[in-house]
Amino acid sequence: MNVIFLGPPGAGKGTQAQVICARLGIPQISTGDMLRAAIEAKSEIGLKAKTFMDAGQLVPDDVVIALVRERVAAADCVKGFLLDGFPRTVEQARALGSIAKIDRVINISVADDVLVKRLSGRRVCPVCGAPYHVDRLHGATQCTVDGVTLVQRDDDKPETVLNRLQVYHQKTAPLIDYYQKEGLLRTVDGSTGLESVSDAILKALEAAR
Ligand code: AP5
């Protein structure tokens, strides 16, 4: 099954992708994680992406489309994949349509004021990218998987968060309508507890099988 997670920054796409991918046995393809890895590796793509990401802007379509085209052709995607953070523009969605057949689009919906709180308290593992929130860490500072110290993402600083939300409403939110018209969209309330969001997503995916 080929799935897209749509939703604003902080909606819980990465958190839920880990749960759903483990359940379905398909890989999570996060363009954000891929771009951060490229920055870390100081590759040409990474150098190009960094200025956009630091400013909370989208990386140019041609760069991310090429990344995804190559990634979904990998052997581990043969039984399906979950796209987390792609597509983010109508142009990316059109390109994806020529790359793969999508079975379901899950739109995780959360109000802006909740998103700001979530992103300002988010900490991530610099090795595996797993997201945590300070409210649920109870003083812990390390990733439960890798044991390394959690960090705050550069683009989770307050001024960049507001920029990212603005970019989402302007460029990515139109995809809700785009996929609604294609009959692929299911919206779940992402402001409830982690488990109930996972249950709602699994139910929406079950209906697409
Ligand atoms: P990316 O890494 O994709 O970031 P994003 O979409 O902005 O999403 P986030 O990772 O911030 O949030 P999330 O929805 O995954 O939430 P999470 O699960 O972490 O992109 C970063 C940048 O890369 C972009 O700004 C852009 O520059 C570039 N980029 C990436 N893809 C691109 C593309 N396709 N085109 C162009 N540019 C691209 O959760 C957030 C927090 O909330 C965590 O602390 C978590 O613990 C908590 N939380 C989650 N769910 C719940 C819940 N139900 N209740 C309470 N807390 C919760």
Side-chain angles (χ1 to χ4, degrees), residues 6-7 29 58 65 73 97 99 103 107 110 112 128 131 136 143 149 151-152 155 165 173 181 187 209:
L6 265 190
I29 300 178
L58 294 183
I65 290 168
I99 295 173
D103 301 298
N107 173 40
V110 178
D112 280 9
C128 70
R136 287 188 298 279
C143 175
T149 302
V151 296
Q152 183 169 37
D155 61 350
L165 282 173
K181 284 186 180 138
T187 293
R209 278 175 187 266

Side-chain angles (χ1 to χ4, degrees), residues 139-161:
T141 56
Q142 292 172 328
C143 175
T144 51
V145 181
D146 301 299
V148 295
T149 302
L150 301 171
V151 296
Q152 183 169 37
R153 260 171 53 175
D154 285 344
D155 61 350
D156 278 349
K157 289 175 189 128
E159 62 281 11
T160 316
V161 164

Side-chain angles (χ1 to χ4, degrees), residues 64-201:
V64 277
I65 290 168
L67 276 179
V68 170
R69 188 187 297 279
E70 191 183 333
R71 180 64 187 88
V72 300
D76 65 337
C77 292
V78 70
K79 285 193 190 151
F81 52 78
L82 190 159
L83 288 167
D84 158 12
F86 181 95
R88 263 171 142 105
T89 63
V90 171
E91 186 164 344
Q92 291 178 20
R94 289 203 185 110
L96 179 62
S98 68
I99 295 173
K101 180 185 170 294
I102 299 302
D103 301 298
R104 183 60 89 213
V105 179
I106 304 290
N107 173 40
I108 306 179
S109 168
V110 178
D112 280 9
D113 57 333
V114 178
L115 297 170
V116 172
K117 280 190 205 131
R118 283 189 188 178
L119 293 174
S120 57
R122 174 166 61 181
R123 299 293 180 270
V124 296
C125 171
V127 175
C128 70
Y132 297 80
H133 195 278
V134 286
D135 288 350
R136 287 188 298 279
L137 279 168
H138 308 296
T141 56
Q142 292 172 328
C143 175
T144 51
V145 181
D146 301 299
V148 295
T149 302
L150 301 171
V151 296
Q152 183 169 37
R153 260 171 53 175
D154 285 344
D155 61 350
D156 278 349
K157 289 175 189 128
E159 62 281 11
T160 316
V161 164
L162 295 179
N163 235 348
R164 287 162 64 201
L165 282 173
Q166 206 178 4
V167 168
Y168 164 78
H169 287 295
Q170 204 184 355
K171 300 201 167 149
T172 308
L175 293 181
I176 295 173
D177 199 37
Y178 181 96
Y179 284 116
Q180 182 84 55
K181 284 186 180 138
E182 296 214 345
L184 296 174
L185 192 88
R186 293 290 180 278
T187 293
V188 304
D189 179 0
S191 57
T192 59
L194 294 177
E195 279 182 26
S196 69
V197 178
S198 305
D199 289 347
I201 293 172

Side-chain angles (χ1 to χ4, degrees), residues 39-56:
I39 291 174
E40 191 68 28
K42 297 189 168 51
S43 70
E44 199 181 322
I45 286 179
L47 293 175
K48 196 167 175 186
K50 189 171 171 22
T51 34
F52 293 98
M53 291 174 76
D54 284 350

